[in-house]
Amino acid sequence: DAMVIQNPRYQVTQFGKPVTLSCSQTLNHNVMYWYQQKSSQAPKLLFHYYDKDFNNEADTPDNFQSRRPNTSFCFLDIRSPGLGDAAMYLCATSRDPSIRGEQYFGPGTRLTVT
Amino acid sequence: GQQLNQSPQSMFIQEGEDVSMNCTSSSIFNTWLWYKQDPGEGPVLLIALYKAGELTSNGRLTAQFGITRKDSFLNISASIPSDVGIYFCAGQSYNNNDMRFGAGTRLTVKP
C-alpha cells in the first residue's frame, strides 16, 4: 500500500544533542510537510518542500532545518533540542495543493528531550 | 493568518447517539478536510470536500462544505466506541500551500 512512513516512532535525545527524524513516502507526491504537534493542540506547520523548493514558515525557529534529497525522503533536523521541543512530529504529503488539497500524514515520531 | 474556529472543544456522548461538530472561518477556503487522530498516531483523512454546498458521506460520517465557503460540518451517526478520538477540520486555499487546522473536537463515547 502507498503510504507515508516515519522513523523512528519514538526518539529520545539529550538537551542540546542534534537529532534527525526521517520521513519517506511511496505516494510519489510533490509536496512534503513537517508539522510539530504538542499535547491536545492542532498540528503546527514548520515548513514544506514543493519538489526541491523549500518553504519555511515565518515563525519556525532556526533550530529546525530540513532536507529533501529526493522525491521519496525528507528529513527534519533539530540542531540543539530544548525541553520545549518535546512533541509529536508529523510528516505529511500532498500531490499538488493547487489541484487537490488533501494531505496524508505519517504515524508521527514522538520526541522526548531529557 | 486565516483562523479556524472549531466547536465544540469536547463531547461526551452515549454509544448509539449522533454527533455533530463544525468549523467556521473568517476567510473562504477552496478545500475543507476532516481528519481523525487516535492517541499516539498521525491524523487520518476521513472526508475531503472541494465544492461549495458539497455533501459527502463515508460510512456513518457525513460532511458538508458550506455555501459561503467559510464553514463546514461533520456528522457521525450511531456512534460506536471506536469513534473515540480527536477530530480536526482543516481548510486550504489555492493561493498557498498551507492547510489551516481547527483546534480539534475531542470525542468520548460511553458504552
Side-chain angles (χ1 to χ4, degrees):
Chain A
D1 285 341
M3 55 184 8
V4 181
I5 302 160
Q6 288 188 245
N7 286 307
R9 293 293 313 275
Y10 300 91
Q11 176 74 56
V12 180
T13 190
Q14 292 178 330
F15 183 94
K17 184 175 181 181
V19 65
T20 295
L21 309 182
S22 69
C23 177
S24 63
Q25 54 131 342
T26 60
L27 298 160
N28 203 33
H29 282 173
N30 298 103
V31 192
M32 295 187 77
Y33 307 80
W34 279 104
Y35 288 85
Q36 180 192 66
Q37 186 179 31
K38 297 195 173 179
S39 183
S40 301
Q41 296 182 19
K44 180 181 182 300
L45 182 64
L46 296 173
F47 27 58
H48 72 272
Y49 272 95
Y50 194 135
D51 293 326
K52 294 183 180 181
D53 187 21
F54 178 70
N55 298 272
N56 200 28
E57 290 297 293
D59 57 353
T60 298
D62 292 339
N63 199 25
F64 292 88
Q65 304 285 319
S66 186
R67 296 169 284 133
R68 189 179 185 186
N70 53 53
T71 300
S72 302
F73 285 87
C74 195
F75 300 99
L76 169 62
D77 300 309
I78 308 176
R79 294 193 295 190
S80 182
L83 297 178
D85 296 327
M88 173 77 93
Y89 289 88
L90 295 164
C91 174
T93 72
S94 67
R95 181 177 289 109
D96 183 335
S98 65
I99 301 173
R100 290 172 73 93
E102 64 260 31
Q103 293 183 15
Y104 295 90
F105 286 83
T109 295
R110 179 161 299 283
L111 179 67
T112 299
V113 181
T114 61
Chain B
Q2 299 156 323
Q3 298 295 317
L4 290 190
N5 298 306
Q6 184 172 351
S7 64
Q9 279 189 327
S10 61
M11 302 184 74
F12 295 83
I13 62 169
Q14 206 71 37
E15 183 177 359
E17 291 182 354
D18 297 343
V19 171
S20 184
M21 58 192 79
N22 70 83
C23 268
T24 60
S25 169
S26 57
S27 305
I28 63 173
F29 286 111
N30 300 102
T31 303
W32 280 97
L33 305 162
W34 285 93
Y35 288 88
K36 177 175 184 266
Q37 187 172 26
D38 292 330
E41 299 293 332
V44 173
L45 182 64
L46 299 174
I47 293 180
L49 302 158
Y50 304 103
K51 294 181 185 177
E54 179 181 355
L55 184 72
T56 297
S57 293
N58 177 6
R60 294 178 294 105
L61 278 61
T62 302
Q64 185 157 30
F65 192 141
I67 290 289
T68 65
R69 294 165 68 190
K70 292 183 178 182
D71 63 303
S72 178
F73 71 75
L74 174 71
N75 287 343
I76 305 173
S77 63
S79 58
I80 59 178
S82 62
D83 291 334
V84 165
I86 301 178
Y87 291 79
F88 289 101
C89 65
Q92 185 163 27
S93 334
Y94 286 161
N95 61 357
N96 63 62
N97 287 335
D98 293 349
M99 193 162 67
R100 302 293 171 184
F101 281 88
T105 295
R106 183 180 294 273
L107 179 64
T108 302
V109 180
K110 293 177 283 187

